[in-house]
Amino acid sequence: DVLEEQSFEDGAIICKEGDDGDRFFLIKDGHAVCSKENPTDGTPVEATRLGKGDYFGEVALLTKEKRQATVKASGVLKCLSVDRMAFGRCIGPLESVLRRNLDQYSSLQELLDKGIV
C-alpha cells in the first residue's frame, strides 16, 4: 500500500549527491548508475551499477545525512519508492540489515578522498 511505482527515462537523475533525502527506492526493472563527485576536481566517478532487486536511498533516511551519491537511470528504469514516514513504519524492523551496508559506503568515500578511485 505504501509503494509508489515510478519510471525514469535513460539519463534521468533520480537523486543527486548532497540533496536532502526523502525517499527509498527499490529497482523493479532496469539499471541505474551511482556516482560520487571526485573531491579534487568535482568530476563524477562511477561507484556502482544497480539492477533489478537492488535498492538505494536508505542512507539519507537512516542517518538524516544528505544524499551520498548521484543515481542516474541507465536505460528505462522502473522503481518502487516509499517516502520517509512510510519507510520508518514499514522498513524500520529491517534497519539493522540496512545499517550493515553503511560501512561499505564509508570505505568507498575514503578511497575517493584519497584519489584512488
Side-chain angles (χ1 to χ4, degrees), residues 3-28:
L3 294 173
E4 178 183 327
E5 187 168 333
Q6 295 179 276
S7 292
F8 301 94
E9 296 297 319
D10 182 41
I13 296 175
I14 295 97
C15 57
K16 187 164 175 52
E17 183 176 359
D19 285 353
D20 290 329
D22 61 350
R23 298 195 77 77
F24 169 78
F25 297 88
L26 174 65
I27 297 178
K28 180 178 179 183

Side-chain angles (χ1 to χ4, degrees), residues 10-83:
D10 182 41
I13 296 175
I14 295 97
C15 57
K16 187 164 175 52
E17 183 176 359
D19 285 353
D20 290 329
D22 61 350
R23 298 195 77 77
F24 169 78
F25 297 88
L26 174 65
I27 297 178
K28 180 178 179 183
D29 194 34
H31 294 89
V33 176
C34 302
S35 62
K36 293 189 66 69
E37 284 187 11
N38 182 320
T40 57
D41 62 10
T43 59
V45 177
E46 185 176 316
T48 191
R49 290 180 177 262
L50 303 172
K52 186 175 181 176
D54 290 328
Y55 57 87
F56 59 94
E58 77 282 6
V59 174
L61 299 182
L62 291 170
T63 66
K64 297 184 182 174
E65 292 180 18
K66 302 287 186 183
R67 292 285 189 198
Q68 300 296 299
T70 297
V71 181
K72 280 186 176 181
S74 177
V76 175
L77 177 68
K78 292 183 181 179
C79 293
L80 300 173
S81 71
V82 63
D83 65 27

